[in-house]
DNA sequence: ATGAAAGCGCTAACAC
DNA sequence: GTGTTAGCGCTTTCAT
């Protein structure tokens, strides 16, 4: 409550409407058994006084805040800002307000999101677990209403919403093989110690390459620190310095892909003539790069809707008893000029 | 409060520590007059019990929520997602949590941010006023602690933090004139009825063009609906259809610039040879387009810090009495290959 | 279908 | 410096 305004209390409305506070409360919360006459009276009184609930008081009394947290690496990646937008929209439909927590994929901040001070003021948490360990996901202070997003090796007994990253990686490799590429490089964050989204993507790629009877060459796996455009540009320099450069580069997201394309152009390498390039996430930008970037699109809206839906279910009466569910949303390969020459 | 956990109340801590609830409260809120011995005892008890404040209860009792709202058009524009990141960081330093409200530049949602149900649960509001009118900014329910960002014709008696968009536009035009360009087109959202950020930018551009003794040609002012990449692409088609196409295109943001560059390339137009292109916002993407996009960079971090600082001041004891302040943050022209041929 | 009373967990006066 | 006493505005049993 911000104070100053909002002086009008529920009790005041009750007085004007000539009913009890409880009845006003019933009207506000759309309780079923209120006569139409009473409801109309109360609504008139609310309008007249300009009444609005005090959410702090409601939260204290009802033990529900109406907030959910979305803990993601950062909004500076279009993938996450788009996801955030969808989550906000999906949450609004259930009168939930979204708190965005930027974790930077750091263990400390992911932990804080799940069990920090703020965690006790949200009715649920949606988390992308990049660095956090299993113990912290289920520890003493961990939020009981948790949905995990993205591929990860974390096997906490929590709901999980993700796309099939390994399958997506496989399709991408197969597409490149079909274009006659055989020396496939990858550029992306190297997993630290645990199997997170990046690691699983690596595995999917490796498997696909090997199933084709090709070798996964160590010098073609370029680790970067941040999965951003400048990292992609640097990786290109490393790859072009090799005795036998790759003929295809798979980037772990389109941001890296953007940097890779820019650098290849500067270096005078033709795409896809000399080297094909592809990414993940299907950022809008990728339709406007030169050449347009082939990418794997994930159904972010479905992820968002599903997360909110699970949270809602668990916040309900017997939600805690539900067994954890794993939801896999769709993805599709969007082929563009960076892997297939146009005309 | 999420319930289930957090069972530990302040009173429990007091009991374990052997002090009163008030003393515990004093410790938590860093009240000055607490003896070290007491503080240590209380902190030990808190750690032992795993105590954490109930923010809902605190909000209700103290009439301060610890939330501020950031109401911006949308996170899908890197300009705003970056700004949001900075605001979150700045707010965190003062233990404030940021609620992001996406307005889509719609009047209704901007209004809601300032005076809607949610507005009474935040200690302050940072708003980019694209469509809202003066009356709604000061109306009955409007939040009393409001900071406006971005250029706008709105003259509400609220704090205002902005860059000098007109000056920036002027510098950009002068740069283009210095490169020998004379037929300067602009692509961007046309202001509806009131002088918002876009309109002011238009004016700055027009003035600069006219001061140079050139004419502002109506057919060179291309209105678009969303200031996004696809809009830029479409605008190019319109401009190239003219009898005398422009020799420079100023885009109202870098997103549009990205679309313009992509389309010019497709159409076989050389940049900057045939047409120079420039934008606003200095997105990271603009360093990786082909050619890299000349752009005006605004000091977003300064905007964020300043907004939080003003909100903080007004949330303080006699903040309401302070006269509204207008802060102008820096900007700079970042010249790249889209306006000046390299080598 | 509506009312009365209790209390959510904290902070804020005011005493001491 | 620390304790005591009231609420903050709402929801929630339990009656009726």
């Amino acid at each position: 409550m911000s104070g100053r305004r909002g002086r009008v209390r529920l009790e005041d409305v009750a007085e004007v409407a000539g009913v009890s506070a409880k009845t006003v409360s019933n009207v506000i919360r759309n309780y079923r058994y209120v006569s139409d006459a009473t409801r109309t009276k109360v609504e008139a009184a609310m309008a007249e006084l300009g009444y609005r609930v005090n959410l702090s008081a409601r939260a204290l009394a009802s033990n529900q805040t109406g907030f959910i947290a979305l803990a993601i690496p950062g909004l500076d990646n279009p993938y996450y800002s788009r996801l955030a937008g969808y989550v906000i929209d999906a949450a609004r439909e259930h009168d939930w307000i979204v708190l965005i927590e930027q974790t930077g994929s750091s263990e400390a901040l992911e932990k804080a999101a799940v069990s920090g001070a703020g965690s006790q003021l949200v009715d649920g948490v949606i988390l992308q677990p990049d660095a956090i360990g299993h113990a912290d996901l289920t520890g003493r202070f961990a939020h009981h209403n948790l949905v995990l997003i993205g591929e990860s090796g974390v096997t906490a007994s929590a709901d999980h919403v993700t796309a099939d990253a390994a399958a997506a990686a496989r399709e991408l490799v197969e597409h490149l093989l079909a274009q006659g590429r055989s020396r496939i490089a990858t550029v992306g964050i190297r997993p630290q110690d645990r199997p997170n989204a990046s690691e699983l993507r690596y595995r999917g790629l490796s498997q696909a390459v090997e199933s084709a009877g090709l070798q996964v060459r160590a010098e073609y796996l370029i680790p970067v620190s941040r999965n951003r455009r400048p990292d992609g540009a640097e990786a290109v320099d490393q790859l072009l310095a090799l005795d036998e450069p790759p003929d295809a580069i798979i980037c772990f997201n389109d941001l890296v892909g953007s940097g890779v394309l820019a650098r290849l152009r500067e270096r005078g390498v033709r795409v896809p003539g000399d080297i094909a390039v592809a990414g993940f996430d299907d950022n809008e930008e990728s339709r406007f790069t030169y050449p347009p970037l082939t990418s794997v699109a994930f159904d972010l809206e479905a992820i968002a809707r599903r997360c909110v839906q699970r949270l809602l279910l668990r916040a309900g009466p017997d939600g805690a008893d539900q067994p954890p569910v794993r939801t896999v949303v769709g993805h599709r390969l969007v082929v563009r000029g960076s892997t297939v020459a146009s005309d």
Side-chain angles (χ1 to χ4, degrees), chain A:
Chain A
M1 249 286 300
S2 69
R4 260 70 88 183
R5 331 230 156 212
R7 295 243 132 273
V8 188
R9 288 157 315 157
L10 190 146
E11 196 181 300
D12 302 326
V13 176
E15 195 181 330
V16 170
V19 298
S20 79
K22 165 67 169 150
T23 303
V24 177
S25 177
N26 283 342
V27 171
I28 293 171
R29 312 189 318 126
N30 275 315
Y31 186 59
R32 298 174 49 186
Y33 307 110
V34 183
S35 70
D36 285 351
T38 312
R39 166 161 281 131
T40 310
K41 250 191 328 192
V42 171
E43 279 167 351
M46 292 200 301
E48 182 190 335
L49 298 175
Y51 171 80
R52 290 130 100 214
V53 246
N54 180 324
L55 295 176
S56 301
R58 167 180 286 178
L60 179 57
S62 69
N63 205 23
Q64 298 218 349
T65 59
F67 288 103
I68 60 175
L70 174 65
I72 48 178
L75 289 173
D76 52 356
N77 182 333
Y79 177 85
Y80 293 113
S81 53
R82 277 177 54 211
L83 178 64
Y86 287 128
V87 170
I88 290 173
D89 291 343
R92 180 165 31 215
E93 287 179 22
H94 304 286
D95 291 321
W96 254 336
I97 295 173
V98 178
L99 300 183
I100 295 172
E101 313 216 16
Q102 304 192 89
T103 64
S105 292
S106 91
E107 187 173 1
L109 290 174
E110 286 181 7
K111 242 192 260 192
V114 174
S115 44
S119 77
Q120 46 128 10
L121 74 72
V122 294
D123 295 335
V125 177
I126 299 173
L127 167 75
Q128 158 118 4
D130 278 347
I132 198 171
H134 182 262
D136 292 315
L137 244 23
T138 51
R140 181 183 182 194
F141 295 129
H143 204 289
H144 55 97
N145 197 175
L146 177 69
V147 177
L148 267 20
I149 52 175
E151 292 286 352
S152 78
V154 179
T155 54
S157 60
D159 287 326
H160 205 135
V161 180
T162 178
D164 189 343
R170 221 177 304 124
E171 289 167 32
L172 192 46
V173 170
E174 280 159 10
H175 165 66
L176 290 170
L177 295 173
Q179 306 299 314
R181 311 288 165 163
S182 59
R183 303 190 307 280
I184 299 176
T186 63
V187 179
I189 289 186
R190 282 317 306 257
Q192 316 81 317
D193 44 351
R194 66 187 100 250
N196 60 11
S198 292
E199 169 67 5
L200 292 171
R201 209 168 275 187
Y202 262 106
R203 291 187 194 167
L205 292 167
S206 306
Q207 284 171 10
V209 169
E210 284 166 355
S211 336
L214 295 172
Q215 273 229 309
V216 178
R217 298 207 215 170
E219 75 264 32
Y220 283 170
L221 303 181
I222 309 295
V224 297
S225 54
R226 293 193 60 225
N227 271 5
R228 315 250 346 155
R229 298 184 188 88
D231 302 292
E234 282 177 32
V236 165
D237 290 333
Q238 290 182 51
L239 287 169
L240 293 185
L242 296 174
D243 286 340
E244 188 177 39
D247 59 9
I249 303 176
I250 294 181
C251 307
F252 269 31
N253 67 24
D254 282 5
L255 250 23
V256 171
S258 168
V260 164
L261 286 177
R263 192 65 178 196
L264 287 173
R265 195 191 310 119
E266 280 175 25
R267 299 285 303 259
V269 177
R270 287 171 311 153
V271 176
D274 301 321
I275 301 183
V277 181
F280 288 87
D281 295 352
D282 191 31
N283 293 348
E284 186 189 79
E285 175 186 356
S286 302
R287 289 161 44 202
F288 294 87
T289 52
Y290 179 56
L293 182 65
T294 291
S295 186
V296 176
F298 299 109
D299 191 346
L300 293 190
E301 198 173 353
I303 293 178
R305 266 206 311 271
R306 184 66 177 169
C307 285
V308 170
Q309 186 197 341
R310 293 305 299 174
L311 245 32
L312 200 64
L313 187 138
R314 288 192 178 279
D318 39 37
D321 311 332
Q322 306 288 329
V325 169
R326 187 166 187 280
T327 308
V328 179
V329 306
H331 67 267
R332 67 176 212 286
L333 179 63
V334 183
V335 176
R336 300 201 179 92
S338 68
T339 56
V340 179
S342 52
D343 316 346

